[in-house]
Amino acid sequence: PKSAPYDTTTTSPSTASPPQKPPPPQEPKKRRTSYDVGMGKNPPKMPPIHTQALELTDDTTESKVLKGALWHEGHYTGGSSSSSSVGDQEDYFDTYNYAGSFEGTIDSSIPKPRYLYPDIELSVPSKFYSDTVDSVWDLLRYEAQRECQKEPLLVSFLHSTILNHRSLESALAFHLANKLSSPAMISTQIQSLVMEALDKSPEFRRSLRADIMAVRDRDPACTCLPDVFLYFKGFHALQTHRVAHYMWNSNRRVLSHYLQSQMSQNFQIDIHPNATLGSGIMLDHGTGIVIGETARVGHNCSILHHVTLGGSGKKGVDRHPKIGDGVLLGAGCSILGNIHIGDGCQIGAGTLVTSDLRAHSVAVGVPAKIIGSFVDVTVQPSIDMNQMTGSQEFDKNLATFESEGI
């Protein structure tokens, strides 16, 4: 019989391929939802943080030294603040009534300053500042190191602004440069300008120290020199003006106007570069202070916020006020025109003055009226900072009388 035709649709069991197994299920990929630290291949290892506070007992010499750098209670309560020679350290601290507490250790690389705040005369004479002595800088560094121990979060900041510098001038140039820099002028350029002004002006260097001590002495809210140096914008604006004033006198007028503009923008204080300011000046709070081109301010003056020393007249005319030494200008007062305010005067808050004031007068009101004069002509209202007219403490040094005006 004939065989069946060859069937191409069938295959021999010996040549058939085995059935394939299904692939194993794959785990879904984890989606990265953030870029937090530790998500990478080699996450960083964070060192453990150890905190330890070492207590200093009150009877140790080190504790007394640290307390000596604090504000002493007797300064505004009738205690003696006169200078005294430092012989034995123990006797020195017994002279004043210090208050305060401190936990931590002090860096032995920073020596104990020979003079603390109550001993440094506010005028900073050669005994406290010369080519070989700088008592203000020594105390500033010492107190900055103390603050490092009290607040670890500020250690880097305090070292970069104060402790890593060799001089007060270098620290100021660095600090102002960071505050005044802009895309138009980077910080290193401003730093070199500040250093130039300080290097070539001995008067600037001494005024810088007197200004720091003035704020430390007159502002009861200030507890240490680093507070003044780092945070008080009135102090920063005043030192910026001193740099701009040097540039103005060096016939670099456009550059001095740039510094004036940066000062106004950053500190809200406007002082013309040609204005002349003495040493030992405190710009308290500072916001809104305006001092015109031909104004002149004497030594040891205190100027509160929103004070205006404005002009009356056109360009090229001596048109701004002349303020004597030891004058206190209350908040918001306006002194207009080329008038003279005598030494030791006190002008109340919000007063408008358009005429001369004789020395040691007290004026208030709009327009200003003289309500009395100080009996003791050595009194400087700017240092006492007593603005409470009519109080028993104020009136005991004041001879009052009626007046229709200045």
Side-chain angles (χ1 to χ4, degrees):
K2 294 182 180 180
S3 60
Y6 183 72
D7 188 2
T8 59
T9 60
T10 60
T11 53
S12 173
S14 60
T15 61
S17 61
Q20 295 183 355
K21 296 181 179 180
Q26 296 182 354
E27 295 181 0
K29 294 183 179 181
K30 293 182 179 180
R31 184 177 180 182
R32 180 181 295 179
T33 58
S34 65
Y35 293 93
D36 296 335
V37 175
M39 294 294 288
K41 182 178 180 182
N42 297 313
K45 296 181 179 181
M46 304 301 292
I49 300 176
H50 301 285
T51 59
Q52 182 179 7
L54 302 178
E55 295 185 358
L56 296 177
T57 58
D58 291 340
D59 56 350
T60 62
T61 302
E62 188 173 45
S63 178
K64 291 182 179 181
V65 171
L66 295 176
K67 287 184 177 181
L70 300 174
W71 180 267
H72 71 286
E73 294 176 334
H75 183 72
Y76 278 110
T77 58
S80 173
S81 60
S82 59
S83 301
S84 60
S85 60
V86 180
D88 182 56
Q89 189 72 17
E90 298 292 336
D91 295 337
Y92 170 68
F93 281 99
D94 292 338
T95 304
Y96 302 100
N97 180 22
Y98 289 95
S101 60
F102 171 75
E103 292 183 354
T105 58
I106 200 73
D107 189 352
S108 59
S109 64
I110 299 180
K112 298 174 182 179
R114 178 174 175 80
Y115 301 104
L116 299 180
Y117 153 67
D119 302 279
I120 301 176
E121 296 180 20
L122 300 181
S123 60
V124 194
S126 57
K127 175 182 178 181
F128 303 102
Y129 174 64
S130 64
D131 293 337
T132 58
V133 178
D134 194 347
S135 299
V136 176
W137 173 238
D138 292 342
L139 181 57
L140 176 64
R141 296 186 72 247
Y142 189 74
E143 291 184 333
Q145 181 60 47
R146 184 199 65 189
E147 296 301 320
C148 283
Q149 302 299 328
K150 293 170 64 177
E151 184 49 79
L153 290 176
L154 292 178
V155 168
S156 177
F157 174 62
L158 290 169
H159 273 79
S160 64
T161 52
I162 297 176
L163 296 173
N164 287 347
H165 296 271
R166 294 181 177 270
S167 66
L168 179 58
E169 288 78 8
S170 173
L172 178 69
F174 176 84
H175 195 42
L176 285 185
N178 285 320
K179 288 184 172 294
L180 300 173
S181 61
S182 69
M185 186 174 295
I186 61 176
S187 60
T188 53
Q189 293 174 308
I190 296 180
Q191 186 174 5
S192 65
L193 292 177
V194 179
M195 285 302 301
E196 177 187 347
L198 287 164
D199 288 342
K200 296 184 179 181
S201 177
E203 182 181 359
F204 184 1
R205 296 195 295 270
R206 189 171 299 278
S207 296
L208 163 62
R209 289 157 174 83
D211 296 338
I212 295 178
M213 295 304 299
V215 181
R216 177 66 174 87
D217 180 70
R218 301 172 201 169
D219 191 342
C222 177
T223 59
C224 60
L225 293 186
D227 281 354
V228 183
F229 183 82
L230 297 173
Y231 310 127
F232 281 49
K233 69 175 185 178
F235 170 78
H236 299 151
L238 181 57
Q239 306 317 311
T240 303
H241 163 73
R242 297 195 189 281
V243 178
H245 185 68
Y246 168 82
M247 298 299 169
W248 182 274
N249 291 335
S250 301
N251 203 28
R252 302 166 74 177
R253 303 293 174 86
V254 176
L255 182 57
S256 62
H257 276 135
Y258 172 82
L259 293 175
Q260 178 193 5
S261 174
Q262 289 299 103
M263 178 208 315
S264 178
Q265 179 177 345
N266 288 279
F267 307 129
Q268 297 78 49
I269 299 173
D270 193 359
I271 308 176
H272 193 279
N274 190 50
T276 303
L277 276 67
S279 62
I281 291 178
M282 179 179 71
L283 305 182
D284 197 10
H285 302 289
T287 301
I289 291 177
V290 177
I291 301 178
E293 179 182 7
T294 59
R296 186 173 67 246
V297 180
H299 303 296
N300 298 328
C301 291
S302 294
I303 303 176
L304 277 72
H305 50 285
H306 291 290
V307 168
T308 298
L309 303 183
S312 177
K314 295 184 177 180
K315 182 179 179 181
V317 178
D318 190 356
R319 60 194 184 279
H320 292 92
K322 310 299 181 286
I323 311 299
D325 298 335
V327 174
L328 172 59
L329 303 180
C333 72
S334 297
I335 306 174
L336 305 179
N338 184 18
I339 62 177
H340 182 262
I341 306 300
D343 296 343
C345 283
Q346 180 167 340
I347 299 177
T351 300
L352 172 63
V353 185
T354 57
S355 301
D356 293 347
L357 278 181
R358 58 179 173 270
H360 313 293
S361 299
V362 179
V364 296
V366 180
K369 293 184 178 181
I370 300 176
I371 62 171
S373 61
F374 290 102
V375 177
D376 185 359
V377 296
T378 64
V379 170
Q380 292 192 1
S382 61
I383 295 179
D384 294 336
M385 296 296 293
N386 186 357
Q387 302 184 70
M388 297 302 294
T389 59
S391 64
Q392 182 178 1
E393 182 181 359
F394 184 88
D395 290 345
K396 68 181 181 180
N397 293 320
L398 188 69
T400 60
F401 50 88
E402 296 293 331
S403 174
E404 295 299 329
I406 295 177

